[in-house]
PDB file of all heavy atoms in Angstrom:
ATOM      1  N   PHE H  33      77.300  87.865 108.922  1.00  0.00           N
ATOM      2  CA  PHE H  33      78.582  87.217 108.914  1.00  0.00           C
ATOM      3  C   PHE H  33      79.421  87.684 110.018  1.00  0.00           C
ATOM      4  O   PHE H  33      79.513  88.841 110.346  1.00  0.00           O
ATOM      5  CB  PHE H  33      79.319  87.451 107.534  1.00  0.00           C
ATOM      6  CG  PHE H  33      78.660  86.769 106.356  1.00  0.00           C
ATOM      7  CD1 PHE H  33      77.802  87.422 105.541  1.00  0.00           C
ATOM      8  CD2 PHE H  33      78.974  85.453 106.140  1.00  0.00           C
ATOM      9  CE1 PHE H  33      77.207  86.752 104.434  1.00  0.00           C
ATOM     10  CE2 PHE H  33      78.423  84.804 105.042  1.00  0.00           C
ATOM     11  CZ  PHE H  33      77.508  85.430 104.213  1.00  0.00           C
ATOM     12  N   SER H  34      80.143  86.729 110.669  1.00  0.00           N
ATOM     13  CA  SER H  34      81.009  87.126 111.747  1.00  0.00           C
ATOM     14  C   SER H  34      82.424  87.516 111.300  1.00  0.00           C
ATOM     15  O   SER H  34      83.131  88.145 112.012  1.00  0.00           O
ATOM     16  CB  SER H  34      81.095  85.984 112.778  1.00  0.00           C
ATOM     17  OG  SER H  34      81.626  84.818 112.139  1.00  0.00           O
ATOM     18  N   ALA H  35      82.726  87.106 110.061  1.00  0.00           N
ATOM     19  CA  ALA H  35      84.027  87.458 109.468  1.00  0.00           C
ATOM     20  C   ALA H  35      83.819  87.629 107.979  1.00  0.00           C
ATOM     21  O   ALA H  35      83.058  86.904 107.371  1.00  0.00           O
ATOM     22  CB  ALA H  35      85.072  86.384 109.729  1.00  0.00           C
ATOM     23  N   ILE H  36      84.471  88.631 107.440  1.00  0.00           N
ATOM     24  CA  ILE H  36      84.410  88.889 106.015  1.00  0.00           C
ATOM     25  C   ILE H  36      85.865  88.997 105.535  1.00  0.00           C
ATOM     26  O   ILE H  36      86.652  89.801 106.048  1.00  0.00           O
ATOM     27  CB  ILE H  36      83.660  90.146 105.709  1.00  0.00           C
ATOM     28  CG1 ILE H  36      82.218  90.094 106.209  1.00  0.00           C
ATOM     29  CG2 ILE H  36      83.694  90.485 104.214  1.00  0.00           C
ATOM     30  CD1 ILE H  36      81.524  91.436 106.180  1.00  0.00           C
ATOM     31  N   ARG H  37      86.221  88.200 104.556  1.00  0.00           N
ATOM     32  CA  ARG H  37      87.559  88.269 103.953  1.00  0.00           C
ATOM     33  C   ARG H  37      87.556  89.025 102.696  1.00  0.00           C
ATOM     34  O   ARG H  37      86.703  88.821 101.867  1.00  0.00           O
ATOM     35  CB  ARG H  37      88.141  86.848 103.718  1.00  0.00           C
ATOM     36  CG  ARG H  37      88.327  86.111 105.036  1.00  0.00           C
ATOM     37  CD  ARG H  37      88.994  84.844 104.785  1.00  0.00           C
ATOM     38  NE  ARG H  37      89.117  84.157 106.046  1.00  0.00           N
ATOM     39  CZ  ARG H  37      89.936  83.168 106.215  1.00  0.00           C
ATOM     40  NH1 ARG H  37      90.679  82.687 105.251  1.00  0.00           N
ATOM     41  NH2 ARG H  37      90.053  82.597 107.434  1.00  0.00           N
ATOM     42  N   ILE H  38      88.523  89.883 102.566  1.00  0.00           N
ATOM     43  CA  ILE H  38      88.625  90.765 101.424  1.00  0.00           C
ATOM     44  C   ILE H  38      89.977  90.432 100.729  1.00  0.00           C
ATOM     45  O   ILE H  38      91.015  90.383 101.329  1.00  0.00           O
ATOM     46  CB  ILE H  38      88.583  92.215 101.841  1.00  0.00           C
ATOM     47  CG1 ILE H  38      87.337  92.535 102.602  1.00  0.00           C
ATOM     48  CG2 ILE H  38      88.732  93.136 100.563  1.00  0.00           C
ATOM     49  CD1 ILE H  38      87.317  93.866 103.248  1.00  0.00           C
ATOM     50  N   ARG H  39      89.866  90.245  99.431  1.00  0.00           N
ATOM     51  CA  ARG H  39      91.102  89.915  98.650  1.00  0.00           C
ATOM     52  C   ARG H  39      91.279  90.949  97.572  1.00  0.00           C
ATOM     53  O   ARG H  39      90.393  91.302  96.854  1.00  0.00           O
ATOM     54  CB  ARG H  39      90.924  88.519  98.022  1.00  0.00           C
ATOM     55  CG  ARG H  39      92.086  88.224  97.137  1.00  0.00           C
ATOM     56  CD  ARG H  39      92.082  86.823  96.715  1.00  0.00           C
ATOM     57  NE  ARG H  39      92.750  86.097  97.799  1.00  0.00           N
ATOM     58  CZ  ARG H  39      92.930  84.834  97.866  1.00  0.00           C
ATOM     59  NH1 ARG H  39      92.495  84.079  96.880  1.00  0.00           N
ATOM     60  NH2 ARG H  39      93.517  84.235  98.867  1.00  0.00           N
ATOM     61  N   ASN H  40      92.527  91.420  97.460  1.00  0.00           N
ATOM     62  CA  ASN H  40      92.953  92.334  96.425  1.00  0.00           C
ATOM     63  C   ASN H  40      93.752  91.579  95.478  1.00  0.00           C
ATOM     64  O   ASN H  40      94.777  90.951  95.842  1.00  0.00           O
ATOM     65  CB  ASN H  40      93.766  93.464  97.032  1.00  0.00           C
ATOM     66  CG  ASN H  40      94.266  94.423  95.998  1.00  0.00           C
ATOM     67  OD1 ASN H  40      93.643  94.571  94.967  1.00  0.00           O
ATOM     68  ND2 ASN H  40      95.366  95.059  96.303  1.00  0.00           N
ATOM     69  N   VAL H  41      93.444  91.599  94.154  1.00  0.00           N
ATOM     70  CA  VAL H  41      94.196  90.847  93.162  1.00  0.00           C
ATOM     71  C   VAL H  41      95.105  91.735  92.394  1.00  0.00           C
ATOM     72  O   VAL H  41      95.744  91.284  91.413  1.00  0.00           O
ATOM     73  CB  VAL H  41      93.255  90.004  92.265  1.00  0.00           C
ATOM     74  CG1 VAL H  41      92.545  88.941  93.011  1.00  0.00           C
ATOM     75  CG2 VAL H  41      92.301  90.976  91.514  1.00  0.00           C
ATOM     76  N   THR H  42      95.209  93.055  92.756  1.00  0.00           N
ATOM     77  CA  THR H  42      96.114  93.942  92.006  1.00  0.00           C
ATOM     78  C   THR H  42      97.495  93.863  92.676  1.00  0.00           C
ATOM     79  O   THR H  42      97.628  93.350  93.771  1.00  0.00           O
ATOM     80  CB  THR H  42      95.608  95.350  92.010  1.00  0.00           C
ATOM     81  OG1 THR H  42      95.571  95.897  93.276  1.00  0.00           O
ATOM     82  CG2 THR H  42      94.173  95.441  91.461  1.00  0.00           C
ATOM     83  N   LEU H  43      98.417  94.478  92.056  1.00  0.00           N
ATOM     84  CA  LEU H  43      99.778  94.548  92.622  1.00  0.00           C
ATOM     85  C   LEU H  43      99.972  95.664  93.625  1.00  0.00           C
ATOM     86  O   LEU H  43     100.957  95.690  94.358  1.00  0.00           O
ATOM     87  CB  LEU H  43     100.790  94.636  91.514  1.00  0.00           C
ATOM     88  CG  LEU H  43     100.832  93.498  90.520  1.00  0.00           C
ATOM     89  CD1 LEU H  43     101.849  93.698  89.411  1.00  0.00           C
ATOM     90  CD2 LEU H  43     101.170  92.198  91.267  1.00  0.00           C
ATOM     91  N   ASN H  44      99.091  96.658  93.615  1.00  0.00           N
ATOM     92  CA  ASN H  44      99.221  97.819  94.471  1.00  0.00           C
ATOM     93  C   ASN H  44      98.525  97.606  95.843  1.00  0.00           C
ATOM     94  O   ASN H  44      97.455  98.163  96.085  1.00  0.00           O
ATOM     95  CB  ASN H  44      98.678  99.063  93.716  1.00  0.00           C
ATOM     96  CG  ASN H  44      99.113 100.313  94.454  1.00  0.00           C
ATOM     97  OD1 ASN H  44      99.522 100.304  95.574  1.00  0.00           O
ATOM     98  ND2 ASN H  44      98.929 101.440  93.767  1.00  0.00           N
ATOM     99  N   GLN H  45      99.100  96.775  96.632  1.00  0.00           N
ATOM    100  CA  GLN H  45      98.533  96.473  97.961  1.00  0.00           C
ATOM    101  C   GLN H  45      98.423  97.673  98.891  1.00  0.00           C
ATOM    102  O   GLN H  45      97.446  97.795  99.570  1.00  0.00           O
ATOM    103  CB  GLN H  45      99.350  95.396  98.650  1.00  0.00           C
ATOM    104  CG  GLN H  45      99.402  94.073  97.886  1.00  0.00           C
ATOM    105  CD  GLN H  45      98.064  93.342  97.871  1.00  0.00           C
ATOM    106  OE1 GLN H  45      97.361  93.322  98.859  1.00  0.00           O
ATOM    107  NE2 GLN H  45      97.710  92.754  96.782  1.00  0.00           N
ATOM    108  N   GLN H  46      99.413  98.520  98.869  1.00  0.00           N
ATOM    109  CA  GLN H  46      99.367  99.728  99.739  1.00  0.00           C
ATOM    110  C   GLN H  46      98.224 100.584  99.452  1.00  0.00           C
ATOM    111  O   GLN H  46      97.498 101.033 100.349  1.00  0.00           O
ATOM    112  CB  GLN H  46     100.712 100.477  99.634  1.00  0.00           C
ATOM    113  CG  GLN H  46     100.885 101.594 100.648  1.00  0.00           C
ATOM    114  CD  GLN H  46     100.868 101.035 102.071  1.00  0.00           C
ATOM    115  OE1 GLN H  46     101.453  99.990 102.379  1.00  0.00           O
ATOM    116  NE2 GLN H  46     100.254 101.776 102.985  1.00  0.00           N
ATOM    117  N   PHE H  47      97.936 100.864  98.160  1.00  0.00           N
ATOM    118  CA  PHE H  47      96.773 101.695  97.822  1.00  0.00           C
ATOM    119  C   PHE H  47      95.519 101.060  98.258  1.00  0.00           C
ATOM    120  O   PHE H  47      94.647 101.684  98.814  1.00  0.00           O
ATOM    121  CB  PHE H  47      96.821 101.918  96.312  1.00  0.00           C
ATOM    122  CG  PHE H  47      95.551 102.697  95.830  1.00  0.00           C
ATOM    123  CD1 PHE H  47      95.493 104.033  96.040  1.00  0.00           C
ATOM    124  CD2 PHE H  47      94.552 102.054  95.149  1.00  0.00           C
ATOM    125  CE1 PHE H  47      94.382 104.715  95.594  1.00  0.00           C
ATOM    126  CE2 PHE H  47      93.454 102.715  94.746  1.00  0.00           C
ATOM    127  CZ  PHE H  47      93.364 104.076  95.010  1.00  0.00           C
TER     128      PHE H  47
END
Side-chain angles (χ1 to χ4, degrees):
F33 287 98
S34 60
I36 300 170
R37 293 186 181 196
I38 302 170
R39 174 167 278 178
N40 177 27
V41 295
T42 68
L43 297 177
N44 193 345
Q45 297 292 320
Q46 188 62 37
F47 175 76

